Structures are given as C-alpha cells and as structure tokens.
Short mmCIF file of all heavy atoms in Angstrom, two decimals:
data_model
loop_
_atom_site.label_atom_id
_atom_site.label_comp_id
_atom_site.label_asym_id
_atom_site.label_seq_id
_atom_site.Cartn_x
_atom_site.Cartn_y
_atom_site.Cartn_z
N GLY K 1083 -40.57 -45.95 -49.75
CA GLY K 1083 -40.16 -44.66 -49.22
C GLY K 1083 -39.13 -44.79 -48.11
O GLY K 1083 -38.14 -44.05 -48.08
N GLY K 1084 -39.35 -45.75 -47.21
CA GLY K 1084 -38.39 -45.96 -46.13
C GLY K 1084 -37.04 -46.44 -46.64
O GLY K 1084 -35.98 -45.97 -46.19
N TYR K 1085 -37.07 -47.39 -47.61
CA TYR K 1085 -35.81 -47.91 -48.17
C TYR K 1085 -35.06 -46.82 -48.93
O TYR K 1085 -33.84 -46.67 -48.79
CB TYR K 1085 -36.12 -49.08 -49.11
CG TYR K 1085 -34.93 -49.52 -49.93
CD1 TYR K 1085 -33.92 -50.30 -49.38
CD2 TYR K 1085 -34.80 -49.13 -51.28
CE1 TYR K 1085 -32.82 -50.69 -50.13
CE2 TYR K 1085 -33.71 -49.51 -52.03
CZ TYR K 1085 -32.72 -50.29 -51.46
OH TYR K 1085 -31.64 -50.66 -52.20
N TRP K 1086 -35.81 -46.05 -49.75
CA TRP K 1086 -35.18 -44.98 -50.52
C TRP K 1086 -34.50 -43.97 -49.62
O TRP K 1086 -33.37 -43.52 -49.87
CB TRP K 1086 -36.23 -44.30 -51.40
CG TRP K 1086 -35.71 -43.14 -52.19
CD1 TRP K 1086 -35.02 -43.18 -53.36
CD2 TRP K 1086 -35.84 -41.75 -51.86
NE1 TRP K 1086 -34.71 -41.91 -53.78
CE2 TRP K 1086 -35.21 -41.01 -52.88
CE3 TRP K 1086 -36.45 -41.07 -50.80
CZ2 TRP K 1086 -35.15 -39.63 -52.87
CZ3 TRP K 1086 -36.39 -39.68 -50.80
CH2 TRP K 1086 -35.76 -38.98 -51.82
N GLN K 1087 -35.17 -43.60 -48.53
CA GLN K 1087 -34.59 -42.59 -47.63
C GLN K 1087 -33.40 -43.16 -46.87
O GLN K 1087 -32.40 -42.46 -46.66
CB GLN K 1087 -35.65 -42.10 -46.65
CG GLN K 1087 -35.17 -40.94 -45.79
CD GLN K 1087 -34.74 -39.74 -46.61
OE1 GLN K 1087 -35.52 -39.19 -47.37
NE2 GLN K 1087 -33.49 -39.34 -46.48
N MET K 1088 -33.48 -44.41 -46.46
CA MET K 1088 -32.35 -45.03 -45.76
C MET K 1088 -31.13 -45.08 -46.67
O MET K 1088 -30.00 -44.76 -46.24
CB MET K 1088 -32.73 -46.44 -45.30
CG MET K 1088 -31.68 -47.12 -44.44
SD MET K 1088 -32.20 -48.78 -43.95
CE MET K 1088 -33.69 -48.40 -43.02
N LYS K 1089 -31.34 -45.47 -47.92
CA LYS K 1089 -30.23 -45.51 -48.89
C LYS K 1089 -29.66 -44.11 -49.10
O LYS K 1089 -28.44 -43.93 -49.18
CB LYS K 1089 -30.73 -46.10 -50.20
CG LYS K 1089 -29.72 -46.14 -51.33
CD LYS K 1089 -30.31 -46.82 -52.53
CE LYS K 1089 -29.35 -46.80 -53.73
NZ LYS K 1089 -29.16 -45.45 -54.27
N ARG K 1090 -30.53 -43.13 -49.19
CA ARG K 1090 -30.10 -41.74 -49.39
C ARG K 1090 -29.27 -41.25 -48.20
O ARG K 1090 -28.26 -40.55 -48.38
CB ARG K 1090 -31.34 -40.87 -49.58
CG ARG K 1090 -31.09 -39.43 -50.02
CD ARG K 1090 -32.43 -38.80 -50.32
NE ARG K 1090 -32.33 -37.38 -50.57
CZ ARG K 1090 -32.02 -36.84 -51.76
NH1 ARG K 1090 -31.76 -37.63 -52.78
NH2 ARG K 1090 -31.98 -35.53 -51.92
N ASN K 1091 -29.68 -41.62 -46.99
CA ASN K 1091 -28.93 -41.22 -45.80
C ASN K 1091 -27.54 -41.84 -45.80
O ASN K 1091 -26.55 -41.20 -45.42
CB ASN K 1091 -29.68 -41.65 -44.54
CG ASN K 1091 -30.96 -40.85 -44.31
OD1 ASN K 1091 -31.25 -39.90 -45.02
ND2 ASN K 1091 -31.73 -41.26 -43.33
N ILE K 1092 -27.46 -43.12 -46.19
CA ILE K 1092 -26.18 -43.84 -46.13
C ILE K 1092 -25.21 -43.35 -47.20
O ILE K 1092 -24.02 -43.12 -46.94
CB ILE K 1092 -26.43 -45.35 -46.27
CG1 ILE K 1092 -27.18 -45.88 -45.04
CG2 ILE K 1092 -25.10 -46.10 -46.41
CD1 ILE K 1092 -27.63 -47.32 -45.17
N THR K 1093 -25.70 -43.18 -48.42
CA THR K 1093 -24.82 -42.80 -49.52
C THR K 1093 -24.48 -41.32 -49.54
O THR K 1093 -23.47 -40.92 -50.14
CB THR K 1093 -25.47 -43.17 -50.87
OG1 THR K 1093 -26.72 -42.46 -51.01
CG2 THR K 1093 -25.74 -44.67 -50.95
N GLY K 1094 -25.31 -40.49 -48.90
CA GLY K 1094 -25.05 -39.05 -48.89
C GLY K 1094 -25.32 -38.39 -50.22
O GLY K 1094 -24.80 -37.30 -50.51
N GLU K 1095 -26.17 -39.01 -51.07
CA GLU K 1095 -26.42 -38.46 -52.40
C GLU K 1095 -27.19 -37.14 -52.36
O GLU K 1095 -27.24 -36.42 -53.36
CB GLU K 1095 -27.17 -39.47 -53.27
CG GLU K 1095 -28.54 -39.84 -52.74
CD GLU K 1095 -29.17 -40.96 -53.55
OE1 GLU K 1095 -28.64 -42.08 -53.53
OE2 GLU K 1095 -30.20 -40.70 -54.18
N GLY K 1096 -27.79 -36.83 -51.22
CA GLY K 1096 -28.50 -35.56 -51.10
C GLY K 1096 -27.70 -34.48 -50.39
O GLY K 1096 -28.25 -33.44 -50.03
N ASP K 1097 -26.40 -34.71 -50.20
CA ASP K 1097 -25.56 -33.77 -49.46
C ASP K 1097 -25.13 -32.58 -50.32
O ASP K 1097 -24.92 -32.71 -51.53
CB ASP K 1097 -24.30 -34.47 -48.95
CG ASP K 1097 -24.60 -35.58 -47.96
OD1 ASP K 1097 -25.78 -35.73 -47.58
OD2 ASP K 1097 -23.66 -36.32 -47.60
N LEU K 1098 -24.99 -31.44 -49.66
CA LEU K 1098 -24.27 -30.30 -50.23
C LEU K 1098 -22.84 -30.42 -49.74
O LEU K 1098 -22.60 -30.44 -48.52
CB LEU K 1098 -24.90 -28.98 -49.78
CG LEU K 1098 -24.19 -27.71 -50.23
CD1 LEU K 1098 -24.32 -27.53 -51.74
CD2 LEU K 1098 -24.74 -26.49 -49.50
N VAL K 1099 -21.88 -30.52 -50.67
CA VAL K 1099 -20.50 -30.87 -50.29
C VAL K 1099 -19.54 -29.75 -50.64
O VAL K 1099 -19.52 -29.27 -51.79
CB VAL K 1099 -20.06 -32.18 -50.99
CG1 VAL K 1099 -18.65 -32.56 -50.54
CG2 VAL K 1099 -21.04 -33.30 -50.70
N LEU K 1100 -18.73 -29.34 -49.66
CA LEU K 1100 -17.60 -28.46 -49.90
C LEU K 1100 -16.35 -29.34 -49.97
O LEU K 1100 -15.91 -29.89 -48.95
CB LEU K 1100 -17.43 -27.44 -48.77
CG LEU K 1100 -18.19 -26.12 -48.91
CD1 LEU K 1100 -19.68 -26.36 -48.72
CD2 LEU K 1100 -17.69 -25.12 -47.88
N ASP K 1101 -15.85 -29.53 -51.17
CA ASP K 1101 -14.67 -30.38 -51.39
C ASP K 1101 -13.46 -29.49 -51.56
O ASP K 1101 -13.18 -28.96 -52.63
CB ASP K 1101 -14.90 -31.25 -52.63
CG ASP K 1101 -13.78 -32.25 -52.85
OD1 ASP K 1101 -12.73 -32.14 -52.18
OD2 ASP K 1101 -13.95 -33.15 -53.70
N ARG K 1102 -12.70 -29.34 -50.48
CA ARG K 1102 -11.56 -28.44 -50.50
C ARG K 1102 -10.36 -29.04 -51.23
O ARG K 1102 -9.50 -28.31 -51.72
CB ARG K 1102 -11.17 -28.05 -49.08
CG ARG K 1102 -12.25 -27.22 -48.38
CD ARG K 1102 -11.88 -26.92 -46.94
NE ARG K 1102 -12.86 -26.04 -46.32
CZ ARG K 1102 -14.00 -26.45 -45.80
NH1 ARG K 1102 -14.29 -27.74 -45.83
NH2 ARG K 1102 -14.84 -25.59 -45.25
N THR K 1103 -10.30 -30.35 -51.31
CA THR K 1103 -9.20 -31.00 -52.02
C THR K 1103 -9.26 -30.68 -53.51
O THR K 1103 -8.25 -30.34 -54.14
CB THR K 1103 -9.25 -32.52 -51.81
OG1 THR K 1103 -9.16 -32.81 -50.42
CG2 THR K 1103 -8.09 -33.19 -52.55
N ASN K 1104 -10.46 -30.81 -54.09
CA ASN K 1104 -10.64 -30.56 -55.53
C ASN K 1104 -11.18 -29.16 -55.83
O ASN K 1104 -11.52 -28.87 -56.97
CB ASN K 1104 -11.59 -31.61 -56.11
CG ASN K 1104 -11.02 -33.01 -56.00
OD1 ASN K 1104 -9.93 -33.28 -56.47
ND2 ASN K 1104 -11.77 -33.91 -55.36
N MET K 1105 -11.28 -28.34 -54.78
CA MET K 1105 -11.74 -26.97 -54.93
C MET K 1105 -13.11 -26.90 -55.62
O MET K 1105 -13.32 -26.15 -56.56
CB MET K 1105 -10.73 -26.14 -55.72
CG MET K 1105 -9.35 -26.13 -55.13
SD MET K 1105 -9.24 -25.00 -53.73
CE MET K 1105 -9.27 -23.44 -54.57
N LYS K 1106 -14.08 -27.71 -55.13
CA LYS K 1106 -15.39 -27.77 -55.74
C LYS K 1106 -16.49 -27.63 -54.70
O LYS K 1106 -16.33 -28.02 -53.54
CB LYS K 1106 -15.58 -29.10 -56.49
CG LYS K 1106 -14.74 -29.24 -57.75
CD LYS K 1106 -15.03 -30.55 -58.46
CE LYS K 1106 -14.23 -30.66 -59.76
NZ LYS K 1106 -14.52 -31.95 -60.46
N LEU K 1107 -17.61 -27.08 -55.15
CA LEU K 1107 -18.84 -27.09 -54.38
C LEU K 1107 -19.79 -28.01 -55.14
O LEU K 1107 -20.10 -27.78 -56.31
CB LEU K 1107 -19.44 -25.69 -54.26
CG LEU K 1107 -20.73 -25.58 -53.43
CD1 LEU K 1107 -20.52 -26.01 -51.99
CD2 LEU K 1107 -21.27 -24.14 -53.48
N ILE K 1108 -20.26 -29.08 -54.49
CA ILE K 1108 -21.07 -30.11 -55.14
C ILE K 1108 -22.50 -29.99 -54.63
O ILE K 1108 -22.76 -30.14 -53.44
CB ILE K 1108 -20.51 -31.51 -54.85
CG1 ILE K 1108 -19.03 -31.59 -55.28
CG2 ILE K 1108 -21.32 -32.57 -55.57
CD1 ILE K 1108 -18.34 -32.88 -54.88
N PHE K 1109 -23.43 -29.74 -55.56
CA PHE K 1109 -24.83 -29.57 -55.22
C PHE K 1109 -25.57 -30.90 -55.37
O PHE K 1109 -25.29 -31.67 -56.29
CB PHE K 1109 -25.48 -28.53 -56.14
CG PHE K 1109 -24.87 -27.16 -56.04
CD1 PHE K 1109 -23.77 -26.83 -56.81
CD2 PHE K 1109 -25.38 -26.22 -55.16
CE1 PHE K 1109 -23.19 -25.57 -56.71
CE2 PHE K 1109 -24.82 -24.96 -55.07
CZ PHE K 1109 -23.72 -24.63 -55.85
N PRO K 1110 -26.54 -31.16 -54.50
CA PRO K 1110 -27.30 -32.42 -54.61
C PRO K 1110 -28.17 -32.41 -55.86
O PRO K 1110 -28.52 -31.35 -56.38
CB PRO K 1110 -28.15 -32.43 -53.34
CG PRO K 1110 -28.26 -31.00 -52.92
CD PRO K 1110 -26.97 -30.35 -53.35
N PRO K 1111 -28.53 -33.60 -56.38
CA PRO K 1111 -29.39 -33.67 -57.57
C PRO K 1111 -30.72 -32.97 -57.33
O PRO K 1111 -31.27 -33.01 -56.23
CB PRO K 1111 -29.60 -35.18 -57.77
CG PRO K 1111 -28.47 -35.83 -57.03
CD PRO K 1111 -28.15 -34.93 -55.88
N VAL K 1112 -31.24 -32.32 -58.36
CA VAL K 1112 -32.51 -31.61 -58.23
C VAL K 1112 -33.69 -32.55 -58.44
O VAL K 1112 -34.83 -32.20 -58.14
CB VAL K 1112 -32.60 -30.45 -59.24
CG1 VAL K 1112 -31.54 -29.42 -58.93
CG2 VAL K 1112 -32.43 -30.96 -60.67
N ALA K 1113 -33.45 -33.76 -58.96
CA ALA K 1113 -34.53 -34.72 -59.21
C ALA K 1113 -34.06 -36.11 -58.86
O ALA K 1113 -32.85 -36.39 -58.86
CB ALA K 1113 -34.99 -34.66 -60.66
N MET K 1114 -35.04 -37.00 -58.55
CA MET K 1114 -34.71 -38.38 -58.23
C MET K 1114 -33.99 -39.02 -59.42
O MET K 1114 -34.46 -38.97 -60.54
CB MET K 1114 -35.97 -39.16 -57.88
CG MET K 1114 -35.70 -40.59 -57.43
SD MET K 1114 -37.24 -41.52 -57.11
CE MET K 1114 -37.91 -40.57 -55.76
#
C-alpha cells in the first residue's frame, strides 16, 4: 500500500489534468 501510493504520487497517474496545449481534459483512471 505504501509503495503503490508513493508511486502514484510521483507519476501523477491519479491527477485530473487540464492540458491546454492539446485542448484536453484528462480524467484519472476509475480502477487500479
């Protein structure tokens, strides 16, 4: 659990992203 969360924090895979360059809204995965 600790490793998984640390990796998630570093990679940003759970982020909600506003990408203005590509004009996209990127939603985080709904499942592991």
